[in-house]
Every structure is written in C-alpha cells, then in structure tokens.
Amino acid sequence: MADTKVIMPQMGESIFEGTITKWLKKTGDHVERDEPLFEISTDKVDSEIPAPASGTVKEILVKEGQTVQINTVVAVIGDGAAKPAEAPAAPAAKPEVKTGPAESKPGVAAGPTDAAPAAKEQARPEPAVHLGERGEQRSSPLVRRIARENNISLNTLAGRGTGINGRITKRDILSFIEQGAPAPASAPAPAAAAPAAPKPAAPAPMTFTGDVERVPMTNMRKSIAEHMVHSRHTSAHVTTFFEVDVTNLLKIREKLKPEFERSGVKLTVTPFFVQAAVTAIKKFPIINSSVDGDAIVYKRAINVGIAVNVESGLIVPVVKHAEEKNLLGIARAINDLGERARTKKLTPDDVRDGTFTITNPGQYGGLIGTPIINQPQVAIMGMGGIKKRAAVIDDAIAIRSMIILSLSFDHRVIDGAAADQFMADVQQQLENWAV
Amino acid sequence: MALTTYVEAIKQGIWEEMESDERVFVLGEDVGIYGGAFKVTAGMLEKFGELRVIDTPISESAIVGAAIGAALMGMRPVAEMQFADFISCAFDQITNFAAKCRYRWGAGVPIVVRGPSGGGVHGGPFHSQNPEMYFVHTPGLKVVCPSTAYDAKGLIKAAIRDPDPVIYFEHKFLYRRIKEELPTEDYIVPIGKAAIRRKGTDISVITYGAMVYTALDAAKELEKEGIELEVLDLRSLLPFDKEAVLDSVKRTNKVILLHEDTEIGGFAGELAAVISEEAFEYLDGPIRRITAPNTPVPYSPPLEEFFLPKVADVMRVARELNAY
C-alpha cells in the first residue's frame, strides 16, 4: 500500500480554508484509520479530523496555527510497519473510535458531511450504501439534476428507463414528473436509503453562463447564511400579523424625548416595543423558551435581541435582563448597543444569550416582513413601517399612525392561540400606553 | 433580384470595402491580371489599378510579411493564399508576428489573410485541407469560416474593418454551389457570433463551413423519423460564440460536434471541453464528435468520399444519441 496523503477537508459549503489548531500525533507515531489525527478550526466548525488510513505519520506538512486552503495536503501517512489499512472491521472492534465524519460542535450545521474526503477515498468500497444512495439506475447528468431538483429518487423510476440498457432519459423523468411523481417519502425506500440522515437538498449549481464576478463571502455573511438556513430547517415557522394604532404612542414619545435627552438617551419607538414585548412575555413565558430535545427550556431572564444593520450584514446585539429595566434603561441599552454595533465595538458577550428578538423590516418603508427565528429562540417580532392611514374609530374615519407587527413563532412549542394572545397583549399595551 | 454565389459574395465584400476605404488593397499570387485562381479578384485590377491589386511572387511568407508592413504603415491589406493549405508557408509571419504585435508593442495589425480551404473537390492532400486549428490555437488572431453567401460577404467586410489580424477561411466546395439573394445595402456579420440554421428540440449539431449543409441535409431526413436536429453554425471559431453553444446544448441536452477537419486537436474537442465544464448537468447523453479521420485528405475520389463526414454519419450518430 502506498503512502496516503491527508488533506484539509471541506467542513461545509462556502468554507475554503481551515486552520490546524492541534496535531494529535507526531511524526513517527502510529495511527489507526479513523483515529483522530488533528484538530481544525474553520469559520464555522471546530473539529477533530480522523486519519484516512492506518500507518505511520511520515510527514506533517502544516504547522499548528497555520491556515491552508481546503484540499491542501497537510500530512502523509506511510504504511511503514503498520497493519495494512484494510485490517477488517477496525471501526466495529473499537467502539470508541468515531467512524463517521468528524464531529461538529452542537448548534452549528456542519454542511455536507463529507468531512474527510481523503478518508472516503481510502475507505473500503461499500457498494450497497453508495449505489443505493444514488440509485442503481443508469441515467445522465441532466436526469440526475432534474431528479434532485424535484426531490425524486431515481430508484422510483426503476424499470421505467427507455434509453439504451434501460437508461433513464430526460423524456422518462419529465413524463414521470408530468404524471405526478409520488412524494419521495411514500416511495418504497431501498434498504440502503435508511442510514441517510435527512439533509437539506444540495443547492442548485451555479449555472449562469454570462460574465460574473465571484466574491468570497465574509465570515459574517457565511454565518448569516448558515444561521438562516439552519433555522428554516429547525423550526416550524408560522407568522401572525397584528395592526397597531401607535398615534398616542408617538405623542408620548415626543413628550418624553426632551426628558430622555437630558439623560443622554435618544428615544426611538423601539424601546416601547421592547418593553411591551417583555411585559407580554411575562404573561406568556413560552415565547421566551427553547426546545432542547424532548424538553422545553423556559428562560428566567428576558434578553431581547435587536437586529441592527451594519455595513457587512446584520448583527443582533442583546439587551440583557430587559425585564429588570424601565423604558429609560431599555432605551439606553439599545442606544449603546446600536452605536457599538456600527463602530464594530461589540463584545462576544453582547450578542450572546438572547431569548427573544425584535427586527425592523419596516426600516426602509416596508409594510411588514416574515422574519426568520433566531435559533435557538422560538419567536421573533417584526416591526413594519409606521404610516398614517385612514382608520375607522367608532364608525368615523380618522387619520391614525399605524404599524403592522408580525410574530414568527416556532409551532413546535407555540400554538397559534398563545402567539396571538401574546401579540394581542403587545397591541393592547402599545395602544394604551400609560406614562 | 439575382442570386449571388458564395465566391461572388466574397468578391463583392472586398470590392465594396476597396471603394469605400482607399487603405484597402489586395495582394497575392495571380490576383491581378489573372483575377485569382478562383476569380475572387477578377476585374479588380481594371477597376482599382495596379497599386491596389498586387501580383506577388510565389511566396506566402512574403505576401503576409508585406501585408503586415503595410498594415503597420496604416493600410488595410487583404492577402490571398491561393490555397489555404499553403498558409503554412506564412505561419511564422502570422503566428509570431501579426498575432503578437499588439501584445508586444501595442501596434495592431489589421490584415486579412484569406484563402480557399476544405475538400470535396478531389484536390488531394495539398489542396483540400482545413488548417483553421493552427490559428485558433494562436491568441491574437481571429478566425472565421463562413458557410453562406450572406456571411461570406458580411464576414469579409467585418474582417477588413477589424483592427487585428483575421484569418478568413473560405470553403471552396461552397464557392459556386451556394447562392442566395443579398441585401443591397452595406452590412457586416459580426465576428464571434454564431447562427442557428435550423431550430430543433432533440439534438444540437454544432458545426461550421461546408458541414452546415451536411447537418441540414441530415436534419431533413431525420425529421421524417421524428428526430429534430438543431443546427448551429459557428461562423467564427476565434472567438467563438460560447453563449450560443451553451444555450443550444441547454435546450436540447444532447450534442453532436461536426467538422470536416480531422479529429485530434479539432475544434470539436475544444467545444466538448467547454460543454462538459459549463453545461455538464444539462447533458442527457455523451458528447459525440463527427470529424474526418486522422489522416491527410486522400486524393482518390472513393477514399476522399470515405474521409469526409457525410449525411449518413450524422444520421447514424443522431439515431444512437436519440436512443441513448
């Protein structure tokens, strides 16, 4: 058996490099296949990487602390006097050894799980799994793409191929779709499909053929992308909308403004909404919870995250213990966090431990939005734009300042009734604000 | 209105450019008194005089070298190779000098080197070749291969007006076989733009030159069998119309690359690479090439007949691909 090159694995979509944080073996050490060999850190994931083959660590080519692009050779494992790599059933005999792709930290989606392509190359072929996953059906790149985009397992077309050697052609799959493909779940699952964990569909390939500019995502962009998709796959999103008359509230704000200014605080409308939400959360604590396995975790603190636009994206600093603060305290905290978000002076602590989030899709005049829940929270409130509208009050038409609020909530733990009662409470407070 | 042949269209294009731009002149072997081996320049000597229609010695290197010099002095020479096969004698002038001049010291060389290429006329190995790929592989050049009278005229005019060296391959088999009505007003065919000669849904045949007609004839036959070929005429090889190629492949999902040039290092190989790089997930079958075999063009008529890609070849491969 020849030497095996160990490469820097790709730890997720859009990750192009990784930093070796620690070597767990030295040159000359013996290593078993799948035994942790080194630790890496990427923008999203810190992970132990298993050895792709058994043997002696011949060379370590990348030092600790060094960052290299994916697929860079970082070490070489020689067969030396080691047991041959195909020593059978090594993983089974050593239950403590992780055989799968490297572990990723909880709460971070690891993306495609081909954590160690090298390991895969070296692994003994397991035809049942690999063929099963792709389907043993002969097809073409086009057919496989159509199947993927329509979430069809090619196995469901077994025996329907009309091409040479029973190949599934474009016509076959298109007519299959036209006739109404059965939902993939109801299709008889081949035995081998069972171990495949449900994972997000692979993103459609970039097929645009014209001139493009390719720009790597910033870390923040990558992190936002990851979080948003992760949330969509985690929570059962439902959004409810409430219209709120804030005419009086705006008057109150005008009245309070000078007083706040004397305390060095600029008073926007946001603190009112934060305080209303906090008061309502006290009545409906499920809004302030998280899902942990089979348990619901209620948090005693009410830490309200406020989504803030910054140059490079979006960040959500958190007003800690909002339940202990009055309007002035909340306004001061928001002022401070907003300022530091814009000047890039937030500390990691400022963005941690949020329990509920308020975002502002109306900032640029939007009527309202349907926000995505900030995991692991279970609800997020969106503030639409405040606009004067004709409103009917006691059968008379009046010009009132109106706002639409939305609440996206996780239907796994919050039912519509609770969400709507919570929002009705927020509405009540805002419309009848007592100074 | 009268129909214009492919060869007459080339002549018209040069003629009109000479009338409208006094910098344009022609040079080559027997282009003056004799009017050119294929009569492309017939009548020009009488019309434009011996300063603008120059008979040269039998030296392609000298012809192209003189053209480059004239171009650097502000002229727009159109150099004729009596047969495109002999362009190899001017290879160094074209590839080392004309192609690199702009890159080396910023002086473009606006020459046109044109000549009859292609087989099917029993010309044998020295008078039937398709030498386009030597030049397609040379950055700094443009290479065009018109298939219709309209394009022959539009492309020669575009080539003459182009600020850089353009190698213009005429297909001698088409000279007098292809004719059509041409517009009376001035027009050009932009270099680098392909044309769909026939719309189809099942298989794209991407080709150029005389093979456009082979593809169209095959398409007509296959239509009876319910197979709809799309025929894309590249018209320009360097630069080539990648957008049109990918667009066609993405619609039909199957592709035949057809050319009269030999297989290894032919343009089909380049196209196949681009298609698999940029449209892999649109392919419903293997990319197929139909080309001449890797031999010189045979002199024997039956052997030449065997050598050149034929309608039957296109039909056979199309049927295989359709069933795939």
Side-chain angles (χ1 to χ4, degrees), chain B residues 7 26-45 53-55 80-83 114 116 175-176:
Chain B
V7 70
V26 298
L27 72 167
E29 296 154 12
D30 288 331
V31 298
I33 298 165
Y34 188 68
F38 291 92
K39 302 297 172 193
V40 171
T41 54
M44 287 186 181
L45 182 65
V53 184
I54 301 169
D55 276 324
E80 177 175 303
M81 304 285 105
Q82 196 165 79
F83 283 86
R114 50 157 287 272
Y175 270 162
R176 291 176 175 81

PDB file of all heavy atoms in Angstrom, chain B residues 7 26-45 53-55 80-83 114 116 175-176:
ATOM      1  N   VAL B   7     -18.757  32.705 -53.750  1.00  0.00           N
ATOM      2  CA  VAL B   7     -17.492  33.297 -54.174  1.00  0.00           C
ATOM      3  C   VAL B   7     -17.689  34.746 -54.618  1.00  0.00           C
ATOM      4  O   VAL B   7     -16.876  35.625 -54.350  1.00  0.00           O
ATOM      5  CB  VAL B   7     -16.800  32.429 -55.273  1.00  0.00           C
ATOM      6  CG1 VAL B   7     -17.562  32.481 -56.591  1.00  0.00           C
ATOM      7  CG2 VAL B   7     -15.344  32.832 -55.468  1.00  0.00           C
ATOM      8  N   VAL B  26      -5.551  44.561 -52.266  1.00  0.00           N
ATOM      9  CA  VAL B  26      -5.371  43.113 -52.264  1.00  0.00           C
ATOM     10  C   VAL B  26      -3.993  42.774 -52.814  1.00  0.00           C
ATOM     11  O   VAL B  26      -3.434  43.498 -53.642  1.00  0.00           O
ATOM     12  CB  VAL B  26      -6.465  42.382 -53.097  1.00  0.00           C
ATOM     13  CG1 VAL B  26      -7.833  42.632 -52.506  1.00  0.00           C
ATOM     14  CG2 VAL B  26      -6.413  42.785 -54.561  1.00  0.00           C
ATOM     15  N   LEU B  27      -3.456  41.659 -52.315  1.00  0.00           N
ATOM     16  CA  LEU B  27      -2.200  41.164 -52.857  1.00  0.00           C
ATOM     17  C   LEU B  27      -2.198  39.645 -52.784  1.00  0.00           C
ATOM     18  O   LEU B  27      -2.876  39.059 -51.937  1.00  0.00           O
ATOM     19  CB  LEU B  27      -0.987  41.762 -52.121  1.00  0.00           C
ATOM     20  CG  LEU B  27      -0.668  41.316 -50.687  1.00  0.00           C
ATOM     21  CD1 LEU B  27       0.733  41.807 -50.307  1.00  0.00           C
ATOM     22  CD2 LEU B  27      -1.678  41.818 -49.691  1.00  0.00           C
ATOM     23  N   GLY B  28      -1.474  39.033 -53.695  1.00  0.00           N
ATOM     24  CA  GLY B  28      -1.418  37.586 -53.716  1.00  0.00           C
ATOM     25  C   GLY B  28      -0.940  37.080 -55.055  1.00  0.00           C
ATOM     26  O   GLY B  28      -0.635  37.865 -55.968  1.00  0.00           O
ATOM     27  N   GLU B  29      -0.890  35.762 -55.156  1.00  0.00           N
ATOM     28  CA  GLU B  29      -0.402  35.139 -56.386  1.00  0.00           C
ATOM     29  C   GLU B  29      -1.501  35.176 -57.450  1.00  0.00           C
ATOM     30  O   GLU B  29      -2.594  34.660 -57.216  1.00  0.00           O
ATOM     31  CB  GLU B  29      -0.004  33.680 -56.092  1.00  0.00           C
ATOM     32  CG  GLU B  29       1.162  33.598 -55.106  1.00  0.00           C
ATOM     33  CD  GLU B  29       1.190  32.292 -54.323  1.00  0.00           C
ATOM     34  OE1 GLU B  29       0.463  31.352 -54.685  1.00  0.00           O
ATOM     35  OE2 GLU B  29       1.925  32.237 -53.319  1.00  0.00           O
ATOM     36  N   ASP B  30      -1.210  35.813 -58.552  1.00  0.00           N
ATOM     37  CA  ASP B  30      -2.142  35.872 -59.678  1.00  0.00           C
ATOM     38  C   ASP B  30      -3.466  36.556 -59.371  1.00  0.00           C
ATOM     39  O   ASP B  30      -4.482  36.274 -59.995  1.00  0.00           O
ATOM     40  CB  ASP B  30      -2.427  34.453 -60.213  1.00  0.00           C
ATOM     41  CG  ASP B  30      -1.234  33.883 -60.966  1.00  0.00           C
ATOM     42  OD1 ASP B  30      -0.468  34.704 -61.540  1.00  0.00           O
ATOM     43  OD2 ASP B  30      -1.062  32.654 -60.972  1.00  0.00           O
ATOM     44  N   VAL B  31      -3.474  37.438 -58.407  1.00  0.00           N
ATOM     45  CA  VAL B  31      -4.745  38.114 -58.105  1.00  0.00           C
ATOM     46  C   VAL B  31      -5.040  39.237 -59.104  1.00  0.00           C
ATOM     47  O   VAL B  31      -6.183  39.662 -59.246  1.00  0.00           O
ATOM     48  CB  VAL B  31      -4.763  38.710 -56.669  1.00  0.00           C
ATOM     49  CG1 VAL B  31      -4.624  37.621 -55.624  1.00  0.00           C
ATOM     50  CG2 VAL B  31      -3.674  39.776 -56.492  1.00  0.00           C
ATOM     51  N   GLY B  32      -4.013  39.697 -59.823  1.00  0.00           N
ATOM     52  CA  GLY B  32      -4.183  40.851 -60.697  1.00  0.00           C
ATOM     53  C   GLY B  32      -4.656  40.488 -62.091  1.00  0.00           C
ATOM     54  O   GLY B  32      -5.851  40.366 -62.347  1.00  0.00           O
ATOM     55  N   ILE B  33      -3.698  40.263 -62.987  1.00  0.00           N
ATOM     56  CA  ILE B  33      -4.023  40.030 -64.397  1.00  0.00           C
ATOM     57  C   ILE B  33      -4.927  38.811 -64.552  1.00  0.00           C
ATOM     58  O   ILE B  33      -5.913  38.832 -65.272  1.00  0.00           O
ATOM     59  CB  ILE B  33      -2.717  39.848 -65.207  1.00  0.00           C
ATOM     60  CG1 ILE B  33      -1.886  41.138 -65.116  1.00  0.00           C
ATOM     61  CG2 ILE B  33      -3.016  39.488 -66.666  1.00  0.00           C
ATOM     62  CD1 ILE B  33      -0.434  40.973 -65.551  1.00  0.00           C
ATOM     63  N   TYR B  34      -4.634  37.739 -63.785  1.00  0.00           N
ATOM     64  CA  TYR B  34      -5.396  36.502 -63.910  1.00  0.00           C
ATOM     65  C   TYR B  34      -6.728  36.574 -63.153  1.00  0.00           C
ATOM     66  O   TYR B  34      -7.649  35.818 -63.415  1.00  0.00           O
ATOM     67  CB  TYR B  34      -4.537  35.334 -63.393  1.00  0.00           C
ATOM     68  CG  TYR B  34      -5.137  33.975 -63.633  1.00  0.00           C
ATOM     69  CD1 TYR B  34      -5.270  33.466 -64.931  1.00  0.00           C
ATOM     70  CD2 TYR B  34      -5.583  33.193 -62.568  1.00  0.00           C
ATOM     71  CE1 TYR B  34      -5.832  32.222 -65.148  1.00  0.00           C
ATOM     72  CE2 TYR B  34      -6.156  31.940 -62.781  1.00  0.00           C
ATOM     73  CZ  TYR B  34      -6.268  31.458 -64.074  1.00  0.00           C
ATOM     74  OH  TYR B  34      -6.822  30.234 -64.296  1.00  0.00           O
ATOM     75  N   GLY B  35      -6.813  37.458 -62.170  1.00  0.00           N
ATOM     76  CA  GLY B  35      -8.068  37.617 -61.418  1.00  0.00           C
ATOM     77  C   GLY B  35      -8.234  36.616 -60.301  1.00  0.00           C
ATOM     78  O   GLY B  35      -9.330  36.450 -59.760  1.00  0.00           O
ATOM     79  N   GLY B  36      -7.132  35.921 -59.933  1.00  0.00           N
ATOM     80  CA  GLY B  36      -7.205  34.949 -58.835  1.00  0.00           C
ATOM     81  C   GLY B  36      -7.564  33.577 -59.344  1.00  0.00           C
ATOM     82  O   GLY B  36      -8.318  33.431 -60.308  1.00  0.00           O
ATOM     83  N   ALA B  37      -7.019  32.547 -58.680  1.00  0.00           N
ATOM     84  CA  ALA B  37      -7.239  31.174 -59.114  1.00  0.00           C
ATOM     85  C   ALA B  37      -8.729  30.831 -59.126  1.00  0.00           C
ATOM     86  O   ALA B  37      -9.187  30.047 -59.938  1.00  0.00           O
ATOM     87  CB  ALA B  37      -6.477  30.209 -58.201  1.00  0.00           C
ATOM     88  N   PHE B  38      -9.492  31.405 -58.200  1.00  0.00           N
ATOM     89  CA  PHE B  38     -10.933  31.144 -58.151  1.00  0.00           C
ATOM     90  C   PHE B  38     -11.745  32.377 -58.541  1.00  0.00           C
ATOM     91  O   PHE B  38     -12.925  32.460 -58.280  1.00  0.00           O
ATOM     92  CB  PHE B  38     -11.337  30.648 -56.754  1.00  0.00           C
ATOM     93  CG  PHE B  38     -10.811  29.272 -56.451  1.00  0.00           C
ATOM     94  CD1 PHE B  38      -9.584  29.097 -55.812  1.00  0.00           C
ATOM     95  CD2 PHE B  38     -11.537  28.149 -56.838  1.00  0.00           C
ATOM     96  CE1 PHE B  38      -9.097  27.823 -55.548  1.00  0.00           C
ATOM     97  CE2 PHE B  38     -11.059  26.867 -56.575  1.00  0.00           C
ATOM     98  CZ  PHE B  38      -9.831  26.700 -55.923  1.00  0.00           C
ATOM     99  N   LYS B  39     -11.044  33.369 -59.132  1.00  0.00           N
ATOM    100  CA  LYS B  39     -11.690  34.567 -59.677  1.00  0.00           C
ATOM    101  C   LYS B  39     -12.308  35.477 -58.611  1.00  0.00           C
ATOM    102  O   LYS B  39     -13.243  36.220 -58.893  1.00  0.00           O
ATOM    103  CB  LYS B  39     -12.760  34.182 -60.736  1.00  0.00           C
ATOM    104  CG  LYS B  39     -12.193  33.382 -61.900  1.00  0.00           C
ATOM    105  CD  LYS B  39     -11.163  34.210 -62.668  1.00  0.00           C
ATOM    106  CE  LYS B  39     -10.433  33.346 -63.711  1.00  0.00           C
ATOM    107  NZ  LYS B  39      -9.240  34.012 -64.259  1.00  0.00           N
ATOM    108  N   VAL B  40     -11.789  35.379 -57.393  1.00  0.00           N
ATOM    109  CA  VAL B  40     -12.318  36.257 -56.343  1.00  0.00           C
ATOM    110  C   VAL B  40     -11.962  37.717 -56.643  1.00  0.00           C
ATOM    111  O   VAL B  40     -12.718  38.631 -56.347  1.00  0.00           O
ATOM    112  CB  VAL B  40     -11.772  35.846 -54.957  1.00  0.00           C
ATOM    113  CG1 VAL B  40     -12.143  36.870 -53.891  1.00  0.00           C
ATOM    114  CG2 VAL B  40     -12.305  34.471 -54.568  1.00  0.00           C
ATOM    115  N   THR B  41     -10.799  37.910 -57.287  1.00  0.00           N
ATOM    116  CA  THR B  41     -10.352  39.289 -57.516  1.00  0.00           C
ATOM    117  C   THR B  41     -10.504  39.716 -58.979  1.00  0.00           C
ATOM    118  O   THR B  41      -9.954  40.746 -59.393  1.00  0.00           O
ATOM    119  CB  THR B  41      -8.876  39.447 -57.086  1.00  0.00           C
ATOM    120  OG1 THR B  41      -8.100  38.454 -57.764  1.00  0.00           O
ATOM    121  CG2 THR B  41      -8.711  39.274 -55.592  1.00  0.00           C
ATOM    122  N   ALA B  42     -11.268  38.952 -59.743  1.00  0.00           N
ATOM    123  CA  ALA B  42     -11.425  39.262 -61.170  1.00  0.00           C
ATOM    124  C   ALA B  42     -12.010  40.667 -61.349  1.00  0.00           C
ATOM    125  O   ALA B  42     -12.969  41.032 -60.677  1.00  0.00           O
ATOM    126  CB  ALA B  42     -12.335  38.214 -61.824  1.00  0.00           C
ATOM    127  N   GLY B  43     -11.395  41.442 -62.237  1.00  0.00           N
ATOM    128  CA  GLY B  43     -11.902  42.782 -62.542  1.00  0.00           C
ATOM    129  C   GLY B  43     -11.378  43.868 -61.627  1.00  0.00           C
ATOM    130  O   GLY B  43     -11.575  45.065 -61.860  1.00  0.00           O
ATOM    131  N   MET B  44     -10.715  43.466 -60.562  1.00  0.00           N
ATOM    132  CA  MET B  44     -10.264  44.476 -59.602  1.00  0.00           C
ATOM    133  C   MET B  44      -9.110  45.312 -60.156  1.00  0.00           C
ATOM    134  O   MET B  44      -9.028  46.513 -59.905  1.00  0.00           O
ATOM    135  CB  MET B  44      -9.844  43.816 -58.286  1.00  0.00           C
ATOM    136  CG  MET B  44     -11.042  43.320 -57.476  1.00  0.00           C
ATOM    137  SD  MET B  44     -10.521  42.720 -55.857  1.00  0.00           S
ATOM    138  CE  MET B  44     -12.106  42.188 -55.199  1.00  0.00           C
ATOM    139  N   LEU B  45      -8.218  44.634 -60.897  1.00  0.00           N
ATOM    140  CA  LEU B  45      -7.070  45.353 -61.446  1.00  0.00           C
ATOM    141  C   LEU B  45      -7.543  46.498 -62.333  1.00  0.00           C
ATOM    142  O   LEU B  45      -7.064  47.627 -62.229  1.00  0.00           O
ATOM    143  CB  LEU B  45      -6.178  44.382 -62.234  1.00  0.00           C
ATOM    144  CG  LEU B  45      -4.913  44.972 -62.839  1.00  0.00           C
ATOM    145  CD1 LEU B  45      -3.958  45.442 -61.746  1.00  0.00           C
ATOM    146  CD2 LEU B  45      -4.211  43.950 -63.733  1.00  0.00           C
ATOM    147  N   VAL B  53      -3.991  46.352 -56.491  1.00  0.00           N
ATOM    148  CA  VAL B  53      -4.212  44.933 -56.794  1.00  0.00           C
ATOM    149  C   VAL B  53      -2.852  44.384 -57.224  1.00  0.00           C
ATOM    150  O   VAL B  53      -2.430  44.569 -58.358  1.00  0.00           O
ATOM    151  CB  VAL B  53      -5.265  44.754 -57.908  1.00  0.00           C
ATOM    152  CG1 VAL B  53      -5.547  43.275 -58.143  1.00  0.00           C
ATOM    153  CG2 VAL B  53      -6.563  45.485 -57.544  1.00  0.00           C
ATOM    154  N   ILE B  54      -2.165  43.751 -56.292  1.00  0.00           N
ATOM    155  CA  ILE B  54      -0.747  43.486 -56.492  1.00  0.00           C
ATOM    156  C   ILE B  54      -0.465  41.999 -56.697  1.00  0.00           C
ATOM    157  O   ILE B  54      -0.767  41.177 -55.823  1.00  0.00           O
ATOM    158  CB  ILE B  54       0.071  44.008 -55.281  1.00  0.00           C
ATOM    159  CG1 ILE B  54      -0.174  45.520 -55.123  1.00  0.00           C
ATOM    160  CG2 ILE B  54       1.544  43.682 -55.426  1.00  0.00           C
ATOM    161  CD1 ILE B  54       0.361  46.100 -53.831  1.00  0.00           C
ATOM    162  N   ASP B  55       0.076  41.666 -57.851  1.00  0.00           N
ATOM    163  CA  ASP B  55       0.546  40.298 -58.095  1.00  0.00           C
ATOM    164  C   ASP B  55       1.881  40.112 -57.402  1.00  0.00           C
ATOM    165  O   ASP B  55       2.784  40.939 -57.531  1.00  0.00           O
ATOM    166  CB  ASP B  55       0.712  40.061 -59.603  1.00  0.00           C
ATOM    167  CG  ASP B  55      -0.591  39.660 -60.254  1.00  0.00           C
ATOM    168  OD1 ASP B  55      -1.381  38.929 -59.606  1.00  0.00           O
ATOM    169  OD2 ASP B  55      -0.830  40.081 -61.406  1.00  0.00           O
ATOM    170  N   GLU B  80      -4.275  37.195 -50.259  1.00  0.00           N
ATOM    171  CA  GLU B  80      -4.871  35.932 -50.690  1.00  0.00           C
ATOM    172  C   GLU B  80      -3.843  34.817 -50.658  1.00  0.00           C
ATOM    173  O   GLU B  80      -2.727  34.963 -51.166  1.00  0.00           O
ATOM    174  CB  GLU B  80      -5.438  36.063 -52.110  1.00  0.00           C
ATOM    175  CG  GLU B  80      -6.002  34.726 -52.615  1.00  0.00           C
ATOM    176  CD  GLU B  80      -6.683  34.822 -53.975  1.00  0.00           C
ATOM    177  OE1 GLU B  80      -7.632  35.619 -54.109  1.00  0.00           O
ATOM    178  OE2 GLU B  80      -6.259  34.111 -54.908  1.00  0.00           O
ATOM    179  N   MET B  81      -4.223  33.693 -50.049  1.00  0.00           N
ATOM    180  CA  MET B  81      -3.467  32.455 -50.189  1.00  0.00           C
ATOM    181  C   MET B  81      -4.180  31.693 -51.308  1.00  0.00           C
ATOM    182  O   MET B  81      -5.379  31.456 -51.226  1.00  0.00           O
ATOM    183  CB  MET B  81      -3.523  31.624 -48.900  1.00  0.00           C
ATOM    184  CG  MET B  81      -3.053  32.344 -47.641  1.00  0.00           C
ATOM    185  SD  MET B  81      -1.260  32.531 -47.528  1.00  0.00           S
ATOM    186  CE  MET B  81      -1.073  34.269 -47.919  1.00  0.00           C
ATOM    187  N   GLN B  82      -3.428  31.316 -52.324  1.00  0.00           N
ATOM    188  CA  GLN B  82      -4.122  30.692 -53.456  1.00  0.00           C
ATOM    189  C   GLN B  82      -4.874  29.442 -53.012  1.00  0.00           C
ATOM    190  O   GLN B  82      -5.970  29.166 -53.466  1.00  0.00           O
ATOM    191  CB  GLN B  82      -3.121  30.375 -54.558  1.00  0.00           C
ATOM    192  CG  GLN B  82      -3.813  30.105 -55.867  1.00  0.00           C
ATOM    193  CD  GLN B  82      -2.820  30.148 -57.022  1.00  0.00           C
ATOM    194  OE1 GLN B  82      -2.089  29.186 -57.251  1.00  0.00           O
ATOM    195  NE2 GLN B  82      -2.776  31.259 -57.731  1.00  0.00           N
ATOM    196  N   PHE B  83      -4.260  28.679 -52.125  1.00  0.00           N
ATOM    197  CA  PHE B  83      -4.953  27.606 -51.416  1.00  0.00           C
ATOM    198  C   PHE B  83      -4.600  27.754 -49.947  1.00  0.00           C
ATOM    199  O   PHE B  83      -3.436  28.011 -49.614  1.00  0.00           O
ATOM    200  CB  PHE B  83      -4.534  26.224 -51.932  1.00  0.00           C
ATOM    201  CG  PHE B  83      -5.174  25.883 -53.244  1.00  0.00           C
ATOM    202  CD1 PHE B  83      -4.582  26.289 -54.438  1.00  0.00           C
ATOM    203  CD2 PHE B  83      -6.381  25.179 -53.280  1.00  0.00           C
ATOM    204  CE1 PHE B  83      -5.186  25.998 -55.648  1.00  0.00           C
ATOM    205  CE2 PHE B  83      -6.973  24.898 -54.496  1.00  0.00           C
ATOM    206  CZ  PHE B  83      -6.388  25.298 -55.692  1.00  0.00           C
ATOM    207  N   ARG B 114      -6.832  35.544 -46.415  1.00  0.00           N
ATOM    208  CA  ARG B 114      -7.959  34.707 -46.823  1.00  0.00           C
ATOM    209  C   ARG B 114      -7.513  33.677 -47.848  1.00  0.00           C
ATOM    210  O   ARG B 114      -6.508  33.860 -48.548  1.00  0.00           O
ATOM    211  CB  ARG B 114      -9.107  35.547 -47.379  1.00  0.00           C
ATOM    212  CG  ARG B 114      -8.744  36.568 -48.459  1.00  0.00           C
ATOM    213  CD  ARG B 114      -9.929  36.936 -49.326  1.00  0.00           C
ATOM    214  NE  ARG B 114     -10.251  35.833 -50.232  1.00  0.00           N
ATOM    215  CZ  ARG B 114      -9.701  35.678 -51.444  1.00  0.00           C
ATOM    216  NH1 ARG B 114      -8.825  36.561 -51.908  1.00  0.00           N
ATOM    217  NH2 ARG B 114     -10.029  34.656 -52.206  1.00  0.00           N
ATOM    218  N   PRO B 116      -8.962  29.693 -49.963  1.00  0.00           N
ATOM    219  CA  PRO B 116      -9.887  28.574 -50.059  1.00  0.00           C
ATOM    220  C   PRO B 116      -9.373  27.354 -49.309  1.00  0.00           C
ATOM    221  O   PRO B 116      -8.237  26.938 -49.490  1.00  0.00           O
ATOM    222  CB  PRO B 116      -9.956  28.301 -51.559  1.00  0.00           C
ATOM    223  CG  PRO B 116      -8.715  28.885 -52.127  1.00  0.00           C
ATOM    224  CD  PRO B 116      -8.244  29.960 -51.203  1.00  0.00           C
ATOM    225  N   TYR B 175     -18.065  27.525 -53.113  1.00  0.00           N
ATOM    226  CA  TYR B 175     -17.875  28.707 -53.959  1.00  0.00           C
ATOM    227  C   TYR B 175     -19.028  28.967 -54.930  1.00  0.00           C
ATOM    228  O   TYR B 175     -19.582  30.045 -54.979  1.00  0.00           O
ATOM    229  CB  TYR B 175     -16.578  28.573 -54.762  1.00  0.00           C
ATOM    230  CG  TYR B 175     -15.347  29.145 -54.076  1.00  0.00           C
ATOM    231  CD1 TYR B 175     -14.082  28.759 -54.509  1.00  0.00           C
ATOM    232  CD2 TYR B 175     -15.448  30.081 -53.058  1.00  0.00           C
ATOM    233  CE1 TYR B 175     -12.925  29.278 -53.921  1.00  0.00           C
ATOM    234  CE2 TYR B 175     -14.299  30.598 -52.465  1.00  0.00           C
ATOM    235  CZ  TYR B 175     -13.052  30.200 -52.888  1.00  0.00           C
ATOM    236  OH  TYR B 175     -11.924  30.726 -52.322  1.00  0.00           O
ATOM    237  N   ARG B 176     -19.334  27.934 -55.711  1.00  0.00           N
ATOM    238  CA  ARG B 176     -20.367  28.159 -56.739  1.00  0.00           C
ATOM    239  C   ARG B 176     -21.616  27.317 -56.509  1.00  0.00           C
ATOM    240  O   ARG B 176     -22.557  27.365 -57.277  1.00  0.00           O
ATOM    241  CB  ARG B 176     -19.777  27.910 -58.127  1.00  0.00           C
ATOM    242  CG  ARG B 176     -18.764  29.005 -58.457  1.00  0.00           C
ATOM    243  CD  ARG B 176     -18.037  28.859 -59.748  1.00  0.00           C
ATOM    244  NE  ARG B 176     -17.195  30.050 -59.951  1.00  0.00           N
ATOM    245  CZ  ARG B 176     -15.993  30.224 -59.392  1.00  0.00           C
ATOM    246  NH1 ARG B 176     -15.464  29.280 -58.648  1.00  0.00           N
ATOM    247  NH2 ARG B 176     -15.314  31.341 -59.600  1.00  0.00           N
TER     248      ARG B 176
END
